[in-house]
């Protein structure tokens, strides 16, 4: 407490010194000899402060010694001569002292302003922005030095040429106002600078010394501490992987890596080695064998069959080769996507397309991205995740989390971190549906979403929960990011410069930009372009179908259903039976769940039909309806028409209700609930209803046959175990995994709280058997 009180007294004496001297001479009748005690006190405070510093350097001791000596000399002279002129030199000495204090740090780095900046925000020391921030702080320090020269010169003039009143007014008021104005102005300029990606370097132009060696490239967990990978680590690991791939005869490499750091290392190693990269999110052995040609290698980080393992390369190789910026025009790549057909296809990409897109996105979103960590919920092997969570942050020198978030609950871990969150509509829908209380973000995150349209109510709910709205991105693999919008600000899409939007001959939107192929790209989307260049999407060209010779837009039907106010999500699909008709899969929102609680399905159908009758003829209204907890979506939040159609191809039954389902490769997950009125319980424990084992096997085969369209003749069953009963009205989840090579169908049924109900393996006869 004594130390604190002393510091407060010292600061008060320093600031009020001109006023105290002026009042002492003019109003209190004090002699210069008596007022010299103020100077002697200040000298004593400086001396005590210097003596308490821990192991001060020689330069610091010399500076403090000189300053104290000058103060003592002035104090002694004022006391001995009883002269007021000597008393006035204190503000001049302070300016001289501050000049030497600030100026010395320009030669003995880091500068004083940089020390203050990193004291307030220690993450500067760990990011690639450090070099540019340090340069900026050097300029600010130099500005303060110039100020002290000018301010000290005016203070000297007031000592030698002005009376006590002017001297007191300037040194006791005006000089402090000028200091304050400079300080406030500097803060404003610094905030403006921080809103820019000062360290942005196109990724093909990054040199070995472009980043500080200890700056963070990737991190595990939630913040820039603990397990991090620095720029020095990154350079060394790129060298190791580069040696490994150059030792192989392959001209192209399939790249699949769940860990973002290994993914980044491999990209730079392959581009520097002038190898073509085939990005694939799918690492299933059958798929890899299909796309892997004799001159194609395979890089992976999870032990996939036939792949060089990136972690093992890094562990066993020694860094030798030097860092080499590569010619972006020679960099070749390709991406695999299911497109709109559901069949994977290769989409060739050039390196300059990735780089030009990253440059455009950085320029568009610089203010929102600066000084943040990058987190993702999407797969980085696809164009959206790759652009926003790989190429933009590595070029901007911003830290990237190595592993993506799978569940909205994980966001609790980063509420104290400045974050860019690269998300999907599916993830945001789950967040909006499950989160009740706002997330206590210290700084509202910068949200991105792509892969499908985000319902208005979801976007609004995310903003309520996090304090910031969502930037939606419209684009595709062939074009990259085309346009953006924030739904609360504008319903229309605004093209991301340099994208130019026009109509093709077929009426679909055409995209021309610096990162599309020459001649542009014609999308499958219909739209309406406004005079200011913004546009709205009117559905896909293949979303216009004919029902009994009447043309109808599927998005129009979906939008009409959303207008009821009780629908969270909906997908309308065309079906073919004796004649073509429409079917609607609907997810109710909270209002809808409350409205239809206890209501029979036929009455729910009647409600929606009644609403549509005001807009659509009866012949084009949906004829089949399903009510789910969630629509089937892939990792990017895309809803595949074929999977929705598969739901309606399974005959509806009063014995069970499908709540949600998901099909990925050879793995199927179906959540169902069995009502108490189901025939499945008839004749089996009438007083205590349990689902029979034979029914469980029947359901497994029914869903396998309906969703996977594969043979279902049982050859034998292995290791079947029924562990816990399945009761009426209790949802259960059925997981099925099929191996085409062995014909084995492994299954597991779990109840609430992940309680295992049953499991085992069914061996199915092969088609050629």
């Amino acid at each position: 407490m004594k130390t604190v009180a002393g510091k407060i007294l010292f600061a008060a004496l320093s600031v009020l010194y001109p006023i105290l001297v002026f009042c002492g001479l003019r109003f209190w009748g004090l002699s210069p000899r008596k007022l010299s005690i103020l100077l002697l006190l200040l000298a004593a405070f400086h001396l005590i402060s210097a003596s308490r510093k821990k192991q001060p350097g020689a330069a610091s001791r010399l500076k403090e010694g000189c300053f104290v000596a000058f103060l003592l000399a002035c104090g002694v002279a004022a006391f001995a001569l009883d002269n007021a002129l000597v008393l006035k030199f204190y503000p001049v000495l302070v300016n001289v002292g501050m000049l030497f204090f600030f100026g010395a740090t320009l030669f003995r780095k880091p500068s004083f302003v940089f020390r203050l900046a990193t004291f307030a925000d220690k993450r500067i020391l760990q990011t690639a922005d450090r070099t540019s921030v340090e340069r900026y702080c050097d300029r600010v320090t130099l500005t303060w030095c110039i100020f002290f020269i000018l301010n000290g010169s005016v203070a000297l003039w007031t000592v030698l040429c002005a009376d006590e009143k002017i001297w007191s007014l300037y040194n006791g008021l005006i000089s402090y106002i000028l200091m304050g104005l400079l300080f406030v102005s500097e803060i404003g300029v610094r905030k403006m600078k921080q809103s820019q990606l000062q360290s942005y370097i196109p990724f093909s132009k990054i040199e070995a010394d472009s980043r500080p060696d200890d700056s963070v490239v990737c991190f595990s967990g939630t913040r820039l501490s603990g397990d991090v990978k620095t720029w020095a680590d990154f350079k060394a690991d790129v060298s190791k992987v580069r040696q490994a791939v150059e030792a192989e005869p392959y001209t192209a490499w399939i790249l699949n890596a769940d860990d973002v750091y290994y993914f980044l290392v491999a990209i730079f190693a392959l581009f520097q080695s002038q190898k073509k990269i085939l990005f694939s999110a799918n690492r299933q052995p059958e798929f890899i064998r299909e796309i892997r040609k004799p001159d194609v290698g395979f890089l992976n980080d999870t032990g996939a069959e036939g792949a060089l393992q990136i972690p093992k390369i890094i562990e066993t190789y020694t860094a030798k080769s030097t860092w080499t910026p590569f010619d972006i025009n020679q960099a070749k790549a390709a991406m695999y996507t299911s497109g709109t057909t559901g069949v994977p296809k290769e989409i060739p990409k050039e390196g300059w397309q990735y780089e030009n897109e990253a440059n455009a996105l950085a320029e568009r979103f610089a203010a929102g991205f600066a000084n943040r960590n990058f987190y993702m919920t999407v797969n980085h092997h696809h164009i959206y995740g790759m652009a926003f969570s790989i190429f933009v942050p590595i070029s901007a020198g911003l830290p990237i989390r190595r592993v993506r978030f799978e569940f909205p609950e994980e966001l609790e871990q980063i509420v104290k971190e400045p974050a860019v969150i690269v998300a999907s509509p599916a993830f945001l829908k789950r967040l909006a549906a499950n989160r009740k209380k706002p997330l206590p973000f210290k700084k509202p995150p910068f949200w991105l979403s792509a892969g499908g349209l985000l319902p208005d109510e979801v976007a609004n709910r995310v903003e309520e929960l996090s304090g910031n709205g969502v930037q939606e991105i419209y684009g595709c693999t062939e074009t990259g990011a085309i346009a953006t919008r924030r739904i609360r600000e504008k319903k229309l899409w605004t093209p991301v410069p340099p994208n130019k939007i026009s109509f093709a001959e077929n009426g679909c939107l055409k995209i021309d930009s610096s990162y599309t192929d020459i001649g542009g790209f014609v999308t499958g989307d219909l739209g309406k372009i406004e005079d200011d260049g913004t546009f709205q999407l009117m559905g896909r060209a293949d979303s216009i179908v004919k029902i009994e010779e009447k043309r109808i837009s599927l998005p129009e039907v979906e939008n009409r259903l959303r207008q009821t106010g009780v629908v969270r999500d909906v997908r309308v699909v065309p079906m073919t039976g004796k004649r073509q008709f429409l079917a609607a899969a609907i997810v109710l929102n909270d209002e809808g769940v409350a409205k239809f609680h206890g209501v029979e399905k036929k009455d729910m159908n009647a409600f929606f039909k009644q609403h549509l009758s005001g807009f659509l003829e009866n012949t084009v209204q949906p004829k089949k309806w399903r009510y789910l907890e969630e629509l089937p979506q892939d990792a990017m939040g895309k809803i595949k028409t074929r999977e929705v159609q598969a739901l309606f191809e399974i005959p509806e039954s009063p014995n069970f209700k499908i709540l949600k389902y998901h099909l990925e490769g050879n793995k199927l997950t179906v959540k169902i609930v069995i009502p108490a009125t189901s025939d499945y319980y008839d004749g089996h424990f009438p007083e205590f209803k349990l689902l029979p084992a034979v029914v469980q096997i029947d359901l497994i085969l029914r869903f396998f046959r309906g969703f996977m369209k594969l043979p279902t003749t049982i050859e034998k069953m292995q290791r079947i175990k029924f562990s816990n009963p399945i009761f009426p009205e209790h949802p259960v989840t059925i997981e099925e995994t099929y191996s085409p090579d062995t014909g084995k169908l492994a299954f597991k049924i779990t109840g609430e709280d992940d309680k295992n109900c049953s499991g085992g393996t069914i061996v199915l006869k092969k088609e050629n058997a």
Side-chain angles (χ1 to χ4, degrees):
M1 288 298 293
K2 291 181 180 179
T3 302
V4 173
K7 288 181 178 179
I8 294 173
L9 179 60
F10 169 67
L13 285 176
S14 299
V15 172
L16 298 175
Y17 179 84
I19 305 298
L20 293 173
V21 170
F22 175 74
C23 291
L25 293 173
R26 284 291 185 95
F27 304 114
W28 300 338
L30 300 177
S31 66
R33 178 168 290 147
K34 292 180 180 179
L35 290 173
S36 67
I37 296 173
L38 288 174
L39 275 179
L40 295 174
L41 281 174
L42 289 171
F45 276 125
H46 276 289
L47 187 60
I48 293 170
S49 177
S51 66
R52 287 181 174 174
K53 289 185 178 178
K54 296 181 179 179
Q55 298 179 340
S60 178
R61 288 196 300 268
L62 178 62
K63 178 180 64 179
E64 289 287 351
C66 290
F67 189 69
V68 171
F70 277 121
L71 283 180
L72 285 172
C74 289
V76 171
F79 184 84
L81 301 175
D82 198 20
N83 190 327
L85 183 65
V86 182
L87 291 173
K88 297 179 183 179
F89 274 97
Y90 178 69
V92 179
L93 292 176
V94 170
N95 278 278
V96 171
M98 295 301 289
L99 172 62
F100 279 103
F101 178 74
F102 275 70
T105 63
L106 289 174
F107 299 97
R108 295 177 62 85
K109 298 294 184 66
S111 66
F112 179 67
V113 174
F114 182 74
R115 294 173 192 176
L116 287 178
T118 54
F119 179 79
D121 184 4
K122 288 183 173 55
R123 77 187 301 273
I124 293 173
L125 294 170
Q126 298 176 295
T127 63
D129 270 340
R130 189 181 71 190
T131 301
S132 56
V133 171
E134 191 166 5
R135 286 197 296 265
Y136 169 75
C137 290
D138 287 350
R139 292 194 293 271
V140 174
T141 303
L142 180 60
T143 300
W144 277 105
C145 289
I146 294 172
F147 172 81
F148 291 129
I149 291 173
L150 297 175
N151 193 53
S153 298
V154 175
L156 181 60
W157 175 83
T158 62
V159 171
L160 302 175
C161 303
D163 60 18
E164 289 89 349
K165 185 176 182 180
I166 294 176
W167 173 83
S168 177
L169 178 64
Y170 181 80
N171 294 289
L173 180 62
I174 296 176
S175 65
Y176 293 135
I177 293 174
L178 294 175
M179 286 184 192
L181 289 174
L182 177 58
F183 181 72
V184 171
S185 299
E186 187 276 322
I187 289 178
V189 173
R190 175 153 43 89
K191 292 294 184 183
M192 182 179 67
K193 289 289 185 182
Q194 287 179 339
S195 70
Q196 303 170 3
L197 294 175
Q198 300 171 44
S199 63
Y200 189 88
I201 305 170
F203 60 83
S204 69
K205 303 295 190 299
I206 297 177
E207 302 276 359
D209 60 354
S210 293
R211 312 293 191 206
D213 275 351
D214 57 353
S215 63
V216 177
V217 174
C218 287
F219 62 96
S220 300
T222 59
R223 60 181 63 192
L224 309 188
S225 59
D227 185 12
V228 299
K229 289 294 183 180
T230 65
W231 181 246
D233 297 328
F234 184 70
K235 289 187 293 184
D237 293 342
V238 168
S239 170
K240 296 173 184 178
V241 176
R242 182 179 171 186
Q243 291 176 65
V245 299
E246 288 179 348
E248 300 288 339
Y250 305 119
T251 59
W253 289 80
I254 298 168
L255 176 57
N256 171 277
D258 285 345
D259 189 310
V260 166
Y261 178 71
Y262 295 140
F263 190 73
L264 262 173
V265 166
I267 288 175
F268 274 79
L270 292 169
F271 276 158
Q272 289 183 7
S273 301
Q274 297 184 331
K275 307 291 186 181
K276 182 178 180 180
I277 307 176
L278 305 178
F279 295 109
S280 173
N282 189 342
R283 59 172 177 266
Q284 294 298 319
E286 296 85 358
F287 179 80
I288 295 300
R289 283 194 287 269
E290 181 181 332
I291 67 174
R292 187 174 181 180
K293 305 299 186 289
D295 62 338
V296 176
F298 184 19
L299 278 173
N300 178 258
D301 68 337
T302 56
E305 178 185 334
L308 280 182
Q309 297 304 310
I310 301 171
K312 188 174 182 180
I313 293 172
I314 291 173
E315 182 182 341
T316 56
Y317 275 72
T318 301
K320 293 180 180 178
S321 59
T322 58
W323 181 271
T324 306
F326 49 89
D327 184 353
I328 196 64
N329 295 310
Q330 299 301 316
K332 305 292 182 183
M335 307 189 77
Y336 287 90
T337 176
S338 60
T340 57
T341 64
V343 179
K345 63 178 181 178
E346 179 182 330
I347 299 178
K349 302 283 282 187
E350 303 287 339
W352 57 264
Q353 292 176 297
Y354 292 114
E355 185 163 274
N356 288 353
E357 180 183 8
N359 295 347
L361 296 177
E363 184 174 348
R364 169 66 179 81
F365 296 110
F369 286 176
N371 304 309
R372 292 177 181 264
N373 305 335
F374 272 71
Y375 302 86
M376 71 208 75
T377 76
V378 299
N379 195 310
H380 47 270
H381 295 82
H382 302 299
I383 189 65
Y384 163 56
M386 193 178 298
F388 280 101
S389 56
I390 301 294
F391 288 125
V392 169
I394 193 64
S395 299
L398 297 172
I400 315 167
R401 190 175 192 262
R402 297 179 66 170
V403 180
R404 66 179 179 265
F405 286 139
E406 299 286 350
F407 307 103
E409 292 76 14
E410 294 178 272
L411 295 177
E412 288 277 8
Q413 304 169 18
I414 62 169
V415 293
K416 295 182 180 180
E417 304 300 311
V420 174
I421 304 176
V422 185
S424 67
F427 184 91
L428 296 176
K429 288 174 184 176
R430 291 197 298 272
L431 173 64
N434 300 331
R435 183 77 188 184
K436 303 305 179 185
K437 296 181 180 179
L439 285 158
F441 280 105
K442 184 177 180 180
K443 183 177 183 179
F446 190 100
W447 291 102
L448 290 161
S449 175
L453 290 178
L454 194 65
D456 289 9
E457 65 180 50
V458 174
N460 294 336
R461 180 60 180 158
V462 171
E463 185 162 358
E464 292 171 1
L465 291 172
S466 68
N468 200 9
V470 181
Q471 287 283 350
E472 287 188 79
I473 306 297
Y474 163 63
C476 62
T477 303
E478 292 85 353
T479 64
I482 297 170
T484 182
R485 71 174 182 176
R486 183 174 168 182
I487 198 67
R488 277 199 174 183
E489 297 174 351
K490 200 168 189 178
K491 299 287 185 181
L492 301 181
W493 295 93
T494 300
V496 174
N499 282 304
K500 296 180 180 178
I501 314 297
S502 59
F503 286 119
E505 292 182 0
N506 62 357
C508 292
L509 296 176
K510 180 184 177 184
I511 316 300
D512 289 278
S513 80
S514 65
Y515 47 89
T516 56
D517 290 333
I518 297 173
F521 179 80
V522 178
T523 71
D525 296 316
L526 303 171
K528 179 182 179 182
I529 303 175
E530 305 296 328
D531 293 338
D532 62 357
T534 59
F535 63 94
Q536 59 178 306
L537 297 173
M538 309 295 289
R540 293 190 58 81
D542 56 9
S543 68
I544 305 295
V545 297
K546 277 190 175 183
I547 304 296
E548 297 188 10
E549 306 306 316
K550 297 182 184 295
R551 288 170 60 86
I552 184 67
S553 166
L554 301 181
E556 178 186 356
V557 182
E558 293 169 355
N559 289 334
R560 295 302 183 189
L561 290 170
R562 288 191 180 95
Q563 289 173 0
T564 60
V566 297
V567 173
R568 173 180 293 132
D569 214 349
V570 58
R571 177 53 58 96
V572 175
V573 295
M575 301 294 296
T576 302
K578 292 181 180 179
R579 62 177 64 89
Q580 194 170 38
F581 62 93
L582 299 184
I586 290 177
V587 178
L588 299 173
N589 59 21
D590 292 341
E591 292 182 21
V593 171
K595 179 180 179 67
F596 295 116
H597 179 69
V599 176
E600 292 187 12
K601 182 173 181 286
K602 63 181 181 63
D603 295 323
M604 296 171 65
N605 296 350
F607 170 82
F608 289 109
K609 289 178 180 178
Q610 177 62 32
H611 173 78
L612 290 178
S613 64
F615 306 97
L616 305 174
E617 296 181 34
N618 182 61
T619 54
V620 295
Q621 290 188 29
K623 298 296 185 285
K624 287 189 176 182
W625 305 80
R626 295 286 191 278
Y627 301 96
L628 307 172
E629 289 183 350
E630 185 179 294
L631 294 180
Q633 303 175 46
D634 61 17
M636 294 298 296
K638 291 184 178 180
I639 302 170
K640 295 181 179 179
T641 298
R642 187 67 197 91
E643 289 189 16
V644 178
Q645 290 174 323
L647 171 67
F648 290 96
E649 290 170 357
I650 297 176
E652 193 169 16
S653 170
N655 292 319
F656 63 85
K657 178 183 179 182
I658 297 176
L659 301 178
K660 63 180 180 181
Y661 61 99
H662 178 66
L663 177 62
E664 184 175 357
N666 291 317
K667 183 175 181 179
L668 172 67
T669 303
V670 185
K671 182 179 180 182
I672 65 171
V673 65
I674 300 174
T677 56
S678 171
D679 294 340
Y680 290 155
Y681 294 112
D682 287 352
H684 296 274
F685 309 103
E687 302 299 325
F688 190 72
K689 295 185 176 182
L690 299 175
L691 191 68
V694 66
V695 172
Q696 297 182 44
I697 300 298
D698 177 68
L699 287 172
I700 291 162
L701 296 175
R702 181 192 297 260
F703 296 139
F704 178 79
R705 182 172 57 249
F707 286 108
M708 292 194 182
K709 310 297 182 185
L710 292 171
T712 55
T713 303
I714 297 178
E715 186 173 288
K716 59 182 176 179
M717 293 189 289
Q718 300 174 337
R719 296 184 297 276
I720 304 294
K721 184 177 181 180
F722 299 92
S723 307
N724 286 289
I726 298 175
F727 299 113
E729 309 296 348
H730 287 250
V732 295
T733 300
I734 301 173
E735 297 180 30
E736 305 180 24
T737 304
Y738 180 64
S739 173
D741 293 336
T742 63
K744 291 182 177 180
L745 175 63
F747 73 90
K748 180 174 68 172
I749 301 180
T750 54
E752 296 171 305
D753 301 324
D754 293 326
K755 182 182 294 184
N756 188 45
C757 297
S758 61
T761 301
I762 301 173
V763 181
L764 304 173
K765 289 183 179 180
K766 296 184 179 180
E767 292 182 351
N768 57 359

